[in-house]
Amino acid sequence: MKTFHYGQDKLTASQALGLASGVIQGVFSPETIQKIHDSAQAVEKIAQGEAIVYGINTGFGPLCTSKISAADTRTLQENLLKSHAVGVGEPVDLEISKLMMVLKIHALSQGFSGIRWETVERIHWMLENDIVPLVPIQGSVGASGDLAPLSHLFLPLIGLGKVSYQGSIQKSGAVLEQLRKKPLHLGPKEGLALINGTQFMAAHGVKVVQKLHNLLTHASITGAMMIEGLMGSVKPFSADLHQLRPYSGSRHVAQTILNLLKDSEIVASHLHCARVQDPYSLRCMPQVHGASWNAYLHLKEILETEINSVTDNPVVFDETHTISGGHFHGQPIALPLDYATLAASEIGNISDRRIYLSIEGDTPGVPKLLLKETGLNSGLMIPQYTTAALASENKGLCFPASADSIPTSLGQEDHVSMGSIGARKALRVIENVEKILGIELFYAAQAMDYHAPMKSGKIMTAIYERVRQSIAPVVSDRIMYEDMETAIELVKSGELVSLAKKVADQEGLAFETEWSEIFIY
């Protein structure tokens, strides 16, 4: 099993996912443990001293001028978790909760948060034993960190809140008792270190990066299949064209589509036809899909900085040097998350246009509504209604959450990022676009049927045959929602991408491009 050194190694989105799922083992070096000890000792000395330091011996937010006695500093921290656990709504997916734990462990392990090793060790123990806190999905404004979600995440440390354990929802106190563990008593600043931070937003960001990469790769697959089904031209994907406007995203998409269509009999059959140009939904895939790849890359790079940062407050350098700043503010990732939401939505928009194009009946040999006998049969008319509805829903979700700010904390927190809302919306839009691309896959395979006995190249033929293995051609009206669900699952699972890579390796062909590496997360 691969290992990752918390607080030391550089964390990526894929490593965070691996740590959350248990395929990567998180470990702590002696140096990291010592840094955590040193920072906690510095905070203990501050708590016992006379100097006023925010969050260690003062109240929080607008109560920052209230001095707290050394005897009450521990009560203060536990009260913080209790009073800030005010989230509402359904719990987030357990994977998100696990990612939040991974990201918080890594941030705390850098040794600037004043938290004790005992507390970090307990969070890690919970993660390793699959004791996953329930975190309500709503309640964060993404400013003083994700206060409410993180409070719920760490209530189980003090024996409160609920957790998922061994397949059921249980009170955390009962689980700790069952496993012969006592609730922790938090030390100075520990509550603040736990709930200040951007880990709710960033955990969603990790999933956005993972799912958006898969989505964009499948957009090239469904788009290439639609080029074949509608006998589109491959000239707009030429390398010599795209080097004149050399965006990484555009060049990557153009080359991926050429790789998918290499040695296609269908493409070769109309290379010298009289058709001058295709509609934009076919011709401009490199520009449109590529722009979304560029947005993805921006988010990936920003997120990697975020998940390797210290985002609580105050930051403790040593007992004489603490700074109360604003690293908990979610704006640095709130903006790219909104950008990624728009990028995903546009993939759905252009995919819906290709779906509509395929049923118009303007491609030689491909019948209107993708069915030879219509009238009695509606053919593939109605699934496009679904893609139109999904694309329209996404447009409503694209209003940037980060454009809003509502002051909180009696005006102390007078500008907030709303990044948690943007992060959740990004995943909703991506899930809608997965459905649109699945339906496009369904339509594109149906269009390709009409070009038999001509075949595509080896990679695309393998993908087409995999689709037909699970979804039979439509020859008359039937219930299609099950076919649509099957196609959607093929997109979500990533199976077709794995198949493309496998065939490319076996046949000595290229699927990935020289730009693929920069997009790896």
Side-chain angles (χ1 to χ4, degrees), residues 39-84:
S39 185
Q41 287 173 2
V43 165
E44 188 65 43
K45 290 177 182 178
I46 293 169
Q48 298 300 325
E50 294 299 320
I52 297 176
V53 178
Y54 171 72
I56 297 176
N57 51 21
T58 74
F60 309 110
L63 305 177
C64 59
T65 57
S66 301
K67 182 77 163 61
I68 305 298
S69 69
D72 289 333
T73 54
R74 297 179 187 278
T75 303
L76 174 72
Q77 301 303 316
E78 295 193 7
N79 283 348
L80 185 67
L81 259 64
K82 294 174 186 176
S83 65
H84 286 55

Side-chain angles (χ1 to χ4, degrees), residues 422-481:
R424 288 163 38 219
K425 288 201 296 107
L427 285 178
R428 284 181 62 190
V429 169
I430 288 170
E431 287 163 4
N432 284 344
V433 180
E434 288 170 341
K435 295 169 185 174
I436 295 172
L437 289 183
I439 295 169
E440 183 180 13
L441 184 70
F442 177 40
Y443 273 56
Q446 183 78 7
M448 285 183 67
D449 289 341
Y450 294 105
H451 301 308
M454 291 188 294
K455 287 191 173 184
S456 183
K458 291 180 178 177
I459 297 176
M460 190 57 77
T461 294
I463 291 171
Y464 166 79
E465 289 175 350
R466 175 62 190 89
V467 174
R468 282 287 167 254
Q469 180 183 330
S470 298
I471 304 172
V474 178
V475 294
S476 62
D477 280 354
R478 68 184 195 218
I479 293 175
M480 288 184 284
Y481 73 87

Side-chain angles (χ1 to χ4, degrees), residues 179-346:
L179 298 174
R180 298 181 180 178
K181 293 279 187 179
K182 292 183 178 180
L184 297 181
H185 294 288
L186 298 181
K189 193 190 176 290
E190 287 200 295
L192 199 58
L194 291 168
I195 73 168
N196 260 188
T198 59
Q199 284 77 33
F200 181 86
M201 290 176 274
H204 281 80
V206 168
K207 286 301 295 181
V208 169
V209 164
Q210 178 196 33
K211 291 172 76 68
L212 187 53
H213 186 281
N214 180 64
L215 186 84
L216 292 169
T217 307
H218 278 88
S220 290
I221 290 173
T222 60
M225 187 179 283
M226 200 63 94
I227 288 170
E228 296 215 277
L230 303 184
M231 303 189 81
S233 173
V234 294
K235 290 179 181 178
F237 306 95
S238 301
D240 55 355
L241 173 64
H242 289 284
Q243 69 183 1
L244 300 179
R245 198 187 189 194
Y247 290 109
S248 298
S250 299
R251 299 175 87 179
H252 175 61
V253 171
Q255 189 58 56
T256 299
I257 289 174
L258 289 178
N259 291 345
L260 287 165
L261 299 180
K262 184 176 173 58
D263 299 327
S264 166
E265 294 175 4
I266 300 171
V267 170
S269 71
H270 61 92
L271 279 176
H272 305 293
C273 68
R275 192 162 162 183
V276 177
Q277 59 185 19
D278 297 319
Y280 289 179
S281 60
L282 296 179
R283 190 179 6 143
C284 297
M285 274 191 269
Q287 292 79 10
V288 178
H289 292 200
S292 293
W293 273 108
N294 294 338
Y296 157 87
L297 185 60
H298 180 57
L299 175 62
K300 180 186 89 78
E301 291 172 346
I302 291 291
L303 187 70
E304 284 182 3
T305 297
E306 188 71 17
I307 64 178
N308 287 284
S309 298
V310 177
T311 57
D312 67 286
N313 187 62
V315 172
V316 180
F317 293 93
D318 57 47
E319 63 182 283
T320 63
H321 187 200
T322 64
I323 298 177
S324 181
H327 280 355
F328 47 66
H329 202 294
Q331 196 78 352
I333 54 174
L335 296 180
L337 282 165
D338 284 334
Y339 182 20
T341 302
L342 180 59
S345 180
E346 280 302 289

Side-chain angles (χ1 to χ4, degrees), residues 1-22:
M1 182 183 287
K2 292 181 180 179
T3 59
F4 177 85
H5 291 82
Y6 281 115
Q8 210 168 326
D9 294 342
K10 181 181 178 182
L11 185 63
T12 63
S14 62
Q15 288 173 322
L17 290 159
L19 287 161
S21 65

